[in-house]
Amino acid sequence: MLDQIFDYLHFHFSVEASIVLLILVLLEAVLSADNAIALAAIAQGLEDKKLERQALNIGLVVAYVLRITLLLTATEVQKFWQFELLGAAYLLWLVFQHFTSEETEDDHHHGPRFANLWQAIPVIAFTDLAFSLDSVTTAIAVSQETWLVITGTTIGIFTLRFMAGLFIRWLDEFENLEDAGYITVALVGLRLLLKVVNDDFVPPEWLMIAAIALIFTWGFSKRTVIESPQVEVEKSEVSK
């Protein structure tokens, strides 16, 4: 039974496999930065910080199931350009909604507001799935061994959750970071759209990473000005 499972997953561990796994994890970490900030910005649609964390936790569990399903059916999914078109349209819709919506006065948040936890979870899960349409091709190109790709994806989900938690805090600290994140989301959406039109038009991965790095540099360039309350210090007069 185990032999059949290992054969289905192409499970053959070796030194080369561990190197490929390390590459997959690094790719997941690099390529998930824009994904993480998008998920963090979506989670901010919940006003309660505890609900934000819960939405990310549950949303990413659902996203993980969707990712594994996508990986196991990747050969079939790649035959249908409509999936990439839907993913591109969804990501570009998120970007359009962000830049055309009014920001709140208290936390400068753009985008949707959620009345409860269960409205945010599917948005988080499907946003991650749209990003995965782009990254799954890269993962499969690195390794044809299914178990390696699944392991890399599993580690990647934990990395994504950690990074999204950091970005939730940084979004309150850096004024341009949310806009920078959505610009990178637009780049991913446009890249998916170009894949549908013509693969020859798709920019190389290194160019995408360089562009995202520059955009994030701008995003972290300006801290939010927080007015700290002035504390009055009472001075007692010393009588001579």
Side-chain angles (χ1 to χ4, degrees):
M1 181 66 178
L2 286 177
D3 292 339
Q4 292 176 349
I5 295 174
F6 288 164
D7 288 339
Y8 175 73
L9 296 177
H10 306 289
F11 188 92
H12 302 290
F13 190 80
S14 63
V15 176
E16 291 81 4
S18 60
I19 295 173
V20 171
L21 180 59
L22 178 60
I23 293 173
L24 286 172
V25 172
L26 291 175
L27 279 174
E28 283 285 350
V30 172
L31 298 177
S32 63
D34 48 359
N35 189 358
I37 192 172
L39 299 185
I42 290 170
Q44 279 199 323
L46 293 163
E47 296 183 359
D48 186 89
K49 292 295 181 183
K50 182 180 179 181
L51 290 179
E52 288 179 9
R53 292 192 296 271
Q54 290 178 351
L56 283 174
N57 290 337
I58 301 174
L60 286 177
V61 169
V62 178
Y64 176 70
V65 175
L66 294 176
R67 276 200 194 195
I68 297 300
T69 304
L70 178 62
L71 286 170
L72 295 178
T73 59
T75 305
E76 295 299 320
V77 169
Q78 288 178 332
K79 295 178 182 178
F80 299 94
W81 56 266
Q82 291 88 346
F83 287 106
E84 291 178 337
L85 180 61
L86 286 173
Y90 178 75
L91 292 178
L92 293 175
W93 173 78
L94 284 178
V95 175
F96 174 80
Q97 188 182 45
H98 169 76
F99 285 106
T100 58
S101 62
E102 295 182 0
E103 67 178 21
T104 55
E105 295 181 359
D106 52 349
D107 57 6
H108 305 289
H109 173 72
H110 288 267
R113 285 287 181 183
F114 304 108
N116 56 62
L117 179 69
W118 304 108
Q119 289 181 356
I121 289 172
V123 179
I124 290 173
F126 283 109
T127 300
D128 180 77
L129 180 63
F131 274 93
S132 298
L133 288 170
D134 185 50
S135 62
V136 70
T137 306
T138 304
I140 292 174
V142 172
S143 175
Q144 294 295 324
E145 297 198 32
T146 308
W147 76 270
L148 271 177
V149 180
I150 291 177
T151 304
T153 299
T154 303
I155 298 173
I157 281 286
F158 284 102
T159 304
L160 180 61
R161 174 61 185 88
F162 172 74
M163 293 177 66
L166 289 177
F167 275 117
I168 282 182
R169 186 179 64 197
W170 290 336
L171 284 170
D172 295 329
E173 188 175 348
F174 296 94
E175 188 172 325
N176 298 325
L177 188 56
E178 188 173 7
D179 288 343
Y182 274 97
I183 292 173
T184 63
V185 173
L187 289 180
V188 176
L190 290 172
R191 188 173 189 273
L192 279 174
L193 192 59
L194 289 175
K195 287 178 71 176
V196 174
V197 176
N198 192 329
D199 276 337
D200 295 334
F201 296 156
V202 178
E205 204 69 58
W206 67 265
L207 184 59
M208 286 287 295
I209 293 174
I212 290 172
L214 287 174
I215 294 168
F216 273 106
T217 300
W218 169 72
F220 283 105
S221 64
K222 187 177 180 181
R223 288 183 178 272
T224 304
V225 178
I226 302 175
E227 296 182 0
S228 57
Q230 296 181 351
V231 179
E232 295 183 359
V233 180
E234 296 182 358
K235 295 182 179 180
S236 57
E237 294 182 356
V238 180
S239 57
K240 295 181 180 180

